[in-house]
Amino acid sequence: MRSLHLRETQLGADHPDTASSLNNLALLYASMGRYAEAEPLYLRVIAILTNVLPENHPYVQGAWNNFRYLIQRASQQGQAATLSPHPTTQALLREVQDQ
């Protein structure tokens, strides 16, 4: 959390390095099964990166892959109901559950 705060303060909330710290925190939460806490962080990472990098950039694709994995894990663990009604989340959730 401290690293994230420092990056937001020094670089700004929409800087790619801030997104990196957000991504790392989201990965930690996801690994702990704290899917509902990781979800908004991933959404923010994706928003930041898609605003500053091309859609096909490896960082953008990596963020999407991490988010998809979170949705898959939450669904497999019976935690899908803890996720938000955010349209992006719900679209990925439907996609995962249809597989």
Side-chain angles (χ1 to χ4, degrees):
M1 293 294 282
R2 181 162 190 218
S3 170
L4 174 59
H5 176 72
L6 288 172
R7 288 203 176 188
E8 286 180 325
T9 302
Q10 294 176 352
L11 302 173
D14 295 329
H15 193 279
D17 288 342
T18 300
S20 177
S21 290
L22 287 164
N23 187 70
N24 291 340
L25 184 57
L27 284 168
L28 175 64
Y29 285 159
S31 73
M32 297 168 65
R34 295 166 61 178
Y35 307 117
E37 293 172 81
E39 176 200 358
L41 300 178
Y42 279 129
L43 289 168
R44 189 168 161 209
V45 169
I46 290 167
I48 292 168
L49 294 179
T50 57
N51 282 331
V52 297
L53 298 171
E55 185 177 315
N56 63 346
H57 192 281
Y59 291 169
V60 175
Q61 294 303 307
W64 276 110
N65 289 338
N66 290 342
F67 188 50
R68 280 186 191 97
Y69 182 72
L70 170 84
I71 300 298
Q72 287 173 333
R73 292 292 300 155
S75 181
Q76 291 168 348
Q77 299 295 319
Q79 298 294 317
T82 67
L83 300 174
S84 79
H86 190 282
T88 303
T89 299
Q90 293 305 308
L92 277 176
L93 187 56
R94 283 188 301 277
E95 183 180 304
V96 165
Q97 291 174 336
D98 287 345
Q99 291 179 351

PDB file of all heavy atoms in Angstrom, residues 1 3-26 41 44-46 48-49 52:
ATOM      1  N   MET A   1       0.821  -1.186   0.000  1.00  0.00           N
ATOM      2  CA  MET A   1       0.000   0.000   0.000  1.00  0.00           C
ATOM      3  C   MET A   1       0.871   1.257   0.000  1.00  0.00           C
ATOM      4  O   MET A   1       0.522   2.226  -0.635  1.00  0.00           O
ATOM      5  CB  MET A   1      -0.915   0.003   1.221  1.00  0.00           C
ATOM      6  CG  MET A   1      -1.975  -1.090   1.205  1.00  0.00           C
ATOM      7  SD  MET A   1      -3.188  -0.892  -0.085  1.00  0.00           S
ATOM      8  CE  MET A   1      -4.208   0.363   0.593  1.00  0.00           C
ATOM      9  N   SER A   3       3.866   1.630  -1.286  1.00  0.00           N
ATOM     10  CA  SER A   3       4.429   1.804  -2.616  1.00  0.00           C
ATOM     11  C   SER A   3       3.407   2.437  -3.555  1.00  0.00           C
ATOM     12  O   SER A   3       3.740   3.342  -4.326  1.00  0.00           O
ATOM     13  CB  SER A   3       4.883   0.449  -3.172  1.00  0.00           C
ATOM     14  OG  SER A   3       5.221   0.551  -4.525  1.00  0.00           O
ATOM     15  N   LEU A   4       2.185   1.962  -3.477  1.00  0.00           N
ATOM     16  CA  LEU A   4       1.122   2.523  -4.308  1.00  0.00           C
ATOM     17  C   LEU A   4       0.907   3.993  -3.983  1.00  0.00           C
ATOM     18  O   LEU A   4       0.824   4.830  -4.888  1.00  0.00           O
ATOM     19  CB  LEU A   4      -0.170   1.734  -4.109  1.00  0.00           C
ATOM     20  CG  LEU A   4      -1.413   2.286  -4.798  1.00  0.00           C
ATOM     21  CD1 LEU A   4      -1.210   2.364  -6.306  1.00  0.00           C
ATOM     22  CD2 LEU A   4      -2.620   1.428  -4.461  1.00  0.00           C
ATOM     23  N   HIS A   5       0.838   4.309  -2.713  1.00  0.00           N
ATOM     24  CA  HIS A   5       0.634   5.702  -2.312  1.00  0.00           C
ATOM     25  C   HIS A   5       1.775   6.590  -2.813  1.00  0.00           C
ATOM     26  O   HIS A   5       1.532   7.701  -3.321  1.00  0.00           O
ATOM     27  CB  HIS A   5       0.507   5.810  -0.790  1.00  0.00           C
ATOM     28  CG  HIS A   5       0.398   7.212  -0.304  1.00  0.00           C
ATOM     29  ND1 HIS A   5      -0.743   7.969  -0.484  1.00  0.00           N
ATOM     30  CD2 HIS A   5       1.287   8.018   0.330  1.00  0.00           C
ATOM     31  CE1 HIS A   5      -0.545   9.180   0.021  1.00  0.00           C
ATOM     32  NE2 HIS A   5       0.680   9.233   0.516  1.00  0.00           N
ATOM     33  N   LEU A   6       2.995   6.118  -2.694  1.00  0.00           N
ATOM     34  CA  LEU A   6       4.145   6.903  -3.155  1.00  0.00           C
ATOM     35  C   LEU A   6       4.097   7.125  -4.664  1.00  0.00           C
ATOM     36  O   LEU A   6       4.349   8.227  -5.140  1.00  0.00           O
ATOM     37  CB  LEU A   6       5.457   6.205  -2.784  1.00  0.00           C
ATOM     38  CG  LEU A   6       5.836   6.221  -1.311  1.00  0.00           C
ATOM     39  CD1 LEU A   6       7.046   5.344  -1.051  1.00  0.00           C
ATOM     40  CD2 LEU A   6       6.096   7.649  -0.845  1.00  0.00           C
ATOM     41  N   ARG A   7       3.762   6.090  -5.395  1.00  0.00           N
ATOM     42  CA  ARG A   7       3.687   6.244  -6.853  1.00  0.00           C
ATOM     43  C   ARG A   7       2.571   7.196  -7.252  1.00  0.00           C
ATOM     44  O   ARG A   7       2.745   8.019  -8.146  1.00  0.00           O
ATOM     45  CB  ARG A   7       3.511   4.892  -7.531  1.00  0.00           C
ATOM     46  CG  ARG A   7       4.793   4.096  -7.467  1.00  0.00           C
ATOM     47  CD  ARG A   7       4.860   3.070  -8.518  1.00  0.00           C
ATOM     48  NE  ARG A   7       6.162   2.423  -8.454  1.00  0.00           N
ATOM     49  CZ  ARG A   7       6.586   1.575  -9.343  1.00  0.00           C
ATOM     50  NH1 ARG A   7       5.830   1.258 -10.364  1.00  0.00           N
ATOM     51  NH2 ARG A   7       7.763   1.036  -9.230  1.00  0.00           N
ATOM     52  N   GLU A   8       1.423   7.085  -6.606  1.00  0.00           N
ATOM     53  CA  GLU A   8       0.322   8.002  -6.916  1.00  0.00           C
ATOM     54  C   GLU A   8       0.711   9.439  -6.611  1.00  0.00           C
ATOM     55  O   GLU A   8       0.396  10.348  -7.378  1.00  0.00           O
ATOM     56  CB  GLU A   8      -0.932   7.621  -6.131  1.00  0.00           C
ATOM     57  CG  GLU A   8      -1.620   6.403  -6.648  1.00  0.00           C
ATOM     58  CD  GLU A   8      -2.853   6.036  -5.859  1.00  0.00           C
ATOM     59  OE1 GLU A   8      -2.872   6.228  -4.629  1.00  0.00           O
ATOM     60  OE2 GLU A   8      -3.800   5.539  -6.486  1.00  0.00           O
ATOM     61  N   THR A   9       1.408   9.637  -5.500  1.00  0.00           N
ATOM     62  CA  THR A   9       1.821  10.980  -5.093  1.00  0.00           C
ATOM     63  C   THR A   9       2.878  11.548  -6.028  1.00  0.00           C
ATOM     64  O   THR A   9       2.790  12.700  -6.459  1.00  0.00           O
ATOM     65  CB  THR A   9       2.361  10.961  -3.647  1.00  0.00           C
ATOM     66  OG1 THR A   9       1.336  10.463  -2.791  1.00  0.00           O
ATOM     67  CG2 THR A   9       2.769  12.347  -3.194  1.00  0.00           C
ATOM     68  N   GLN A  10       3.871  10.743  -6.357  1.00  0.00           N
ATOM     69  CA  GLN A  10       4.993  11.225  -7.155  1.00  0.00           C
ATOM     70  C   GLN A  10       4.718  11.239  -8.651  1.00  0.00           C
ATOM     71  O   GLN A  10       5.175  12.139  -9.358  1.00  0.00           O
ATOM     72  CB  GLN A  10       6.239  10.391  -6.865  1.00  0.00           C
ATOM     73  CG  GLN A  10       6.741  10.562  -5.458  1.00  0.00           C
ATOM     74  CD  GLN A  10       7.915   9.643  -5.155  1.00  0.00           C
ATOM     75  OE1 GLN A  10       8.269   8.773  -5.945  1.00  0.00           O
ATOM     76  NE2 GLN A  10       8.521   9.824  -3.993  1.00  0.00           N
ATOM     77  N   LEU A  11       3.991  10.249  -9.139  1.00  0.00           N
ATOM     78  CA  LEU A  11       3.812  10.110 -10.585  1.00  0.00           C
ATOM     79  C   LEU A  11       2.416  10.464 -11.074  1.00  0.00           C
ATOM     80  O   LEU A  11       2.222  10.720 -12.252  1.00  0.00           O
ATOM     81  CB  LEU A  11       4.136   8.670 -11.010  1.00  0.00           C
ATOM     82  CG  LEU A  11       5.538   8.170 -10.661  1.00  0.00           C
ATOM     83  CD1 LEU A  11       5.660   6.691 -10.975  1.00  0.00           C
ATOM     84  CD2 LEU A  11       6.591   8.992 -11.399  1.00  0.00           C
ATOM     85  N   GLY A  12       1.462  10.400 -10.188  1.00  0.00           N
ATOM     86  CA  GLY A  12       0.078  10.655 -10.566  1.00  0.00           C
ATOM     87  C   GLY A  12      -0.720   9.368 -10.615  1.00  0.00           C
ATOM     88  O   GLY A  12      -0.170   8.275 -10.785  1.00  0.00           O
ATOM     89  N   ALA A  13      -2.015   9.504 -10.457  1.00  0.00           N
ATOM     90  CA  ALA A  13      -2.908   8.348 -10.381  1.00  0.00           C
ATOM     91  C   ALA A  13      -3.015   7.592 -11.701  1.00  0.00           C
ATOM     92  O   ALA A  13      -3.369   6.411 -11.710  1.00  0.00           O
ATOM     93  CB  ALA A  13      -4.287   8.790  -9.921  1.00  0.00           C
ATOM     94  N   ASP A  14      -2.708   8.239 -12.820  1.00  0.00           N
ATOM     95  CA  ASP A  14      -2.879   7.618 -14.134  1.00  0.00           C
ATOM     96  C   ASP A  14      -1.562   7.273 -14.826  1.00  0.00           C
ATOM     97  O   ASP A  14      -1.529   7.095 -16.038  1.00  0.00           O
ATOM     98  CB  ASP A  14      -3.715   8.529 -15.032  1.00  0.00           C
ATOM     99  CG  ASP A  14      -5.127   8.691 -14.515  1.00  0.00           C
ATOM    100  OD1 ASP A  14      -5.647   7.740 -13.898  1.00  0.00           O
ATOM    101  OD2 ASP A  14      -5.714   9.764 -14.714  1.00  0.00           O
ATOM    102  N   HIS A  15      -0.517   7.144 -14.066  1.00  0.00           N
ATOM    103  CA  HIS A  15       0.796   6.814 -14.631  1.00  0.00           C
ATOM    104  C   HIS A  15       0.934   5.286 -14.757  1.00  0.00           C
ATOM    105  O   HIS A  15       0.447   4.547 -13.904  1.00  0.00           O
ATOM    106  CB  HIS A  15       1.898   7.368 -13.725  1.00  0.00           C
ATOM    107  CG  HIS A  15       3.239   7.348 -14.349  1.00  0.00           C
ATOM    108  ND1 HIS A  15       4.025   6.218 -14.396  1.00  0.00           N
ATOM    109  CD2 HIS A  15       3.947   8.328 -14.959  1.00  0.00           C
ATOM    110  CE1 HIS A  15       5.165   6.503 -14.999  1.00  0.00           C
ATOM    111  NE2 HIS A  15       5.145   7.770 -15.354  1.00  0.00           N
ATOM    112  N   PRO A  16       1.581   4.799 -15.813  1.00  0.00           N
ATOM    113  CA  PRO A  16       1.770   3.359 -15.971  1.00  0.00           C
ATOM    114  C   PRO A  16       2.477   2.685 -14.784  1.00  0.00           C
ATOM    115  O   PRO A  16       2.169   1.541 -14.454  1.00  0.00           O
ATOM    116  CB  PRO A  16       2.603   3.232 -17.246  1.00  0.00           C
ATOM    117  CG  PRO A  16       2.281   4.455 -18.020  1.00  0.00           C
ATOM    118  CD  PRO A  16       2.069   5.539 -16.992  1.00  0.00           C
ATOM    119  N   ASP A  17       3.398   3.388 -14.146  1.00  0.00           N
ATOM    120  CA  ASP A  17       4.063   2.798 -12.980  1.00  0.00           C
ATOM    121  C   ASP A  17       3.112   2.682 -11.795  1.00  0.00           C
ATOM    122  O   ASP A  17       3.236   1.760 -10.983  1.00  0.00           O
ATOM    123  CB  ASP A  17       5.306   3.601 -12.597  1.00  0.00           C
ATOM    124  CG  ASP A  17       6.438   3.426 -13.594  1.00  0.00           C
ATOM    125  OD1 ASP A  17       6.408   2.453 -14.382  1.00  0.00           O
ATOM    126  OD2 ASP A  17       7.360   4.264 -13.590  1.00  0.00           O
ATOM    127  N   THR A  18       2.165   3.594 -11.695  1.00  0.00           N
ATOM    128  CA  THR A  18       1.123   3.474 -10.675  1.00  0.00           C
ATOM    129  C   THR A  18       0.276   2.249 -10.987  1.00  0.00           C
ATOM    130  O   THR A  18      -0.078   1.478 -10.084  1.00  0.00           O
ATOM    131  CB  THR A  18       0.261   4.745 -10.628  1.00  0.00           C
ATOM    132  OG1 THR A  18       1.096   5.871 -10.325  1.00  0.00           O
ATOM    133  CG2 THR A  18      -0.835   4.643  -9.582  1.00  0.00           C
ATOM    134  N   ALA A  19      -0.028   2.050 -12.261  1.00  0.00           N
ATOM    135  CA  ALA A  19      -0.785   0.860 -12.670  1.00  0.00           C
ATOM    136  C   ALA A  19      -0.032  -0.412 -12.298  1.00  0.00           C
ATOM    137  O   ALA A  19      -0.649  -1.406 -11.887  1.00  0.00           O
ATOM    138  CB  ALA A  19      -1.069   0.905 -14.173  1.00  0.00           C
ATOM    139  N   SER A  20       1.278  -0.393 -12.396  1.00  0.00           N
ATOM    140  CA  SER A  20       2.083  -1.555 -12.032  1.00  0.00           C
ATOM    141  C   SER A  20       1.927  -1.876 -10.548  1.00  0.00           C
ATOM    142  O   SER A  20       1.769  -3.045 -10.164  1.00  0.00           O
ATOM    143  CB  SER A  20       3.551  -1.297 -12.368  1.00  0.00           C
ATOM    144  OG  SER A  20       4.359  -2.371 -11.959  1.00  0.00           O
ATOM    145  N   SER A  21       1.947  -0.858  -9.712  1.00  0.00           N
ATOM    146  CA  SER A  21       1.750  -1.075  -8.276  1.00  0.00           C
ATOM    147  C   SER A  21       0.343  -1.584  -7.986  1.00  0.00           C
ATOM    148  O   SER A  21       0.150  -2.465  -7.146  1.00  0.00           O
ATOM    149  CB  SER A  21       2.023   0.207  -7.492  1.00  0.00           C
ATOM    150  OG  SER A  21       3.390   0.514  -7.497  1.00  0.00           O
ATOM    151  N   LEU A  22      -0.647  -1.024  -8.678  1.00  0.00           N
ATOM    152  CA  LEU A  22      -2.023  -1.498  -8.530  1.00  0.00           C
ATOM    153  C   LEU A  22      -2.141  -2.964  -8.931  1.00  0.00           C
ATOM    154  O   LEU A  22      -2.802  -3.759  -8.256  1.00  0.00           O
ATOM    155  CB  LEU A  22      -2.976  -0.660  -9.380  1.00  0.00           C
ATOM    156  CG  LEU A  22      -3.282   0.748  -8.903  1.00  0.00           C
ATOM    157  CD1 LEU A  22      -3.905   1.554 -10.033  1.00  0.00           C
ATOM    158  CD2 LEU A  22      -4.204   0.701  -7.701  1.00  0.00           C
ATOM    159  N   ASN A  23      -1.505  -3.316 -10.036  1.00  0.00           N
ATOM    160  CA  ASN A  23      -1.525  -4.689 -10.517  1.00  0.00           C
ATOM    161  C   ASN A  23      -0.907  -5.633  -9.488  1.00  0.00           C
ATOM    162  O   ASN A  23      -1.454  -6.705  -9.223  1.00  0.00           O
ATOM    163  CB  ASN A  23      -0.785  -4.786 -11.851  1.00  0.00           C
ATOM    164  CG  ASN A  23      -0.916  -6.152 -12.465  1.00  0.00           C
ATOM    165  OD1 ASN A  23      -1.986  -6.539 -12.924  1.00  0.00           O
ATOM    166  ND2 ASN A  23       0.175  -6.904 -12.477  1.00  0.00           N
ATOM    167  N   ASN A  24       0.214  -5.234  -8.918  1.00  0.00           N
ATOM    168  CA  ASN A  24       0.872  -6.077  -7.919  1.00  0.00           C
ATOM    169  C   ASN A  24      -0.012  -6.278  -6.692  1.00  0.00           C
ATOM    170  O   ASN A  24      -0.095  -7.385  -6.149  1.00  0.00           O
ATOM    171  CB  ASN A  24       2.219  -5.481  -7.520  1.00  0.00           C
ATOM    172  CG  ASN A  24       3.234  -5.550  -8.630  1.00  0.00           C
ATOM    173  OD1 ASN A  24       3.097  -6.338  -9.565  1.00  0.00           O
ATOM    174  ND2 ASN A  24       4.253  -4.704  -8.563  1.00  0.00           N
ATOM    175  N   LEU A  25      -0.674  -5.232  -6.249  1.00  0.00           N
ATOM    176  CA  LEU A  25      -1.577  -5.343  -5.107  1.00  0.00           C
ATOM    177  C   LEU A  25      -2.763  -6.238  -5.455  1.00  0.00           C
ATOM    178  O   LEU A  25      -3.181  -7.079  -4.651  1.00  0.00           O
ATOM    179  CB  LEU A  25      -2.048  -3.957  -4.662  1.00  0.00           C
ATOM    180  CG  LEU A  25      -2.934  -3.904  -3.424  1.00  0.00           C
ATOM    181  CD1 LEU A  25      -2.248  -4.547  -2.208  1.00  0.00           C
ATOM    182  CD2 LEU A  25      -3.305  -2.453  -3.114  1.00  0.00           C
ATOM    183  N   ALA A  26      -3.291  -6.095  -6.665  1.00  0.00           N
ATOM    184  CA  ALA A  26      -4.398  -6.942  -7.108  1.00  0.00           C
ATOM    185  C   ALA A  26      -3.969  -8.405  -7.155  1.00  0.00           C
ATOM    186  O   ALA A  26      -4.733  -9.295  -6.758  1.00  0.00           O
ATOM    187  CB  ALA A  26      -4.904  -6.482  -8.475  1.00  0.00           C
ATOM    188  N   LEU A  41      -9.199  -2.972  -8.507  1.00  0.00           N
ATOM    189  CA  LEU A  41      -7.810  -2.618  -8.818  1.00  0.00           C
ATOM    190  C   LEU A  41      -7.478  -2.996 -10.253  1.00  0.00           C
ATOM    191  O   LEU A  41      -6.874  -2.218 -10.989  1.00  0.00           O
ATOM    192  CB  LEU A  41      -6.852  -3.297  -7.837  1.00  0.00           C
ATOM    193  CG  LEU A  41      -7.042  -2.942  -6.365  1.00  0.00           C
ATOM    194  CD1 LEU A  41      -6.053  -3.718  -5.500  1.00  0.00           C
ATOM    195  CD2 LEU A  41      -6.902  -1.451  -6.133  1.00  0.00           C
ATOM    196  N   ARG A  44      -9.077  -0.658 -12.652  1.00  0.00           N
ATOM    197  CA  ARG A  44      -8.327   0.604 -12.710  1.00  0.00           C
ATOM    198  C   ARG A  44      -7.038   0.446 -13.514  1.00  0.00           C
ATOM    199  O   ARG A  44      -6.682   1.325 -14.308  1.00  0.00           O
ATOM    200  CB  ARG A  44      -8.023   1.083 -11.290  1.00  0.00           C
ATOM    201  CG  ARG A  44      -7.464   2.463 -11.244  1.00  0.00           C
ATOM    202  CD  ARG A  44      -7.440   3.028  -9.856  1.00  0.00           C
ATOM    203  NE  ARG A  44      -6.503   4.128  -9.810  1.00  0.00           N
ATOM    204  CZ  ARG A  44      -5.827   4.493  -8.739  1.00  0.00           C
ATOM    205  NH1 ARG A  44      -6.013   3.861  -7.599  1.00  0.00           N
ATOM    206  NH2 ARG A  44      -4.976   5.486  -8.798  1.00  0.00           N
ATOM    207  N   VAL A  45      -6.344  -0.670 -13.328  1.00  0.00           N
ATOM    208  CA  VAL A  45      -5.121  -0.944 -14.101  1.00  0.00           C
ATOM    209  C   VAL A  45      -5.438  -0.929 -15.589  1.00  0.00           C
ATOM    210  O   VAL A  45      -4.742  -0.273 -16.382  1.00  0.00           O
ATOM    211  CB  VAL A  45      -4.504  -2.299 -13.694  1.00  0.00           C
ATOM    212  CG1 VAL A  45      -3.411  -2.722 -14.671  1.00  0.00           C
ATOM    213  CG2 VAL A  45      -3.975  -2.258 -12.280  1.00  0.00           C
ATOM    214  N   ILE A  46      -6.486  -1.623 -15.967  1.00  0.00           N
ATOM    215  CA  ILE A  46      -6.867  -1.699 -17.376  1.00  0.00           C
ATOM    216  C   ILE A  46      -7.221  -0.316 -17.904  1.00  0.00           C
ATOM    217  O   ILE A  46      -6.804   0.064 -19.009  1.00  0.00           O
ATOM    218  CB  ILE A  46      -8.025  -2.707 -17.566  1.00  0.00           C
ATOM    219  CG1 ILE A  46      -7.506  -4.131 -17.336  1.00  0.00           C
ATOM    220  CG2 ILE A  46      -8.646  -2.563 -18.944  1.00  0.00           C
ATOM    221  CD1 ILE A  46      -8.586  -5.174 -17.181  1.00  0.00           C
ATOM    222  N   ILE A  48      -6.158   2.622 -16.835  1.00  0.00           N
ATOM    223  CA  ILE A  48      -4.930   3.431 -16.953  1.00  0.00           C
ATOM    224  C   ILE A  48      -4.141   3.018 -18.189  1.00  0.00           C
ATOM    225  O   ILE A  48      -3.769   3.859 -19.014  1.00  0.00           O
ATOM    226  CB  ILE A  48      -4.055   3.292 -15.692  1.00  0.00           C
ATOM    227  CG1 ILE A  48      -4.726   3.946 -14.483  1.00  0.00           C
ATOM    228  CG2 ILE A  48      -2.664   3.907 -15.931  1.00  0.00           C
ATOM    229  CD1 ILE A  48      -4.059   3.610 -13.153  1.00  0.00           C
ATOM    230  N   LEU A  49      -3.884   1.730 -18.306  1.00  0.00           N
ATOM    231  CA  LEU A  49      -3.027   1.258 -19.394  1.00  0.00           C
ATOM    232  C   LEU A  49      -3.652   1.463 -20.766  1.00  0.00           C
ATOM    233  O   LEU A  49      -2.948   1.801 -21.720  1.00  0.00           O
ATOM    234  CB  LEU A  49      -2.650  -0.203 -19.173  1.00  0.00           C
ATOM    235  CG  LEU A  49      -1.759  -0.475 -17.957  1.00  0.00           C
ATOM    236  CD1 LEU A  49      -1.476  -1.955 -17.821  1.00  0.00           C
ATOM    237  CD2 LEU A  49      -0.465   0.335 -18.019  1.00  0.00           C
ATOM    238  N   VAL A  52      -3.043   4.983 -22.036  1.00  0.00           N
ATOM    239  CA  VAL A  52      -1.698   5.464 -22.364  1.00  0.00           C
ATOM    240  C   VAL A  52      -0.925   4.541 -23.303  1.00  0.00           C
ATOM    241  O   VAL A  52       0.124   4.940 -23.809  1.00  0.00           O
ATOM    242  CB  VAL A  52      -0.861   5.727 -21.086  1.00  0.00           C
ATOM    243  CG1 VAL A  52      -1.481   6.826 -20.245  1.00  0.00           C
ATOM    244  CG2 VAL A  52      -0.671   4.475 -20.270  1.00  0.00           C
TER     245      VAL A  52
END
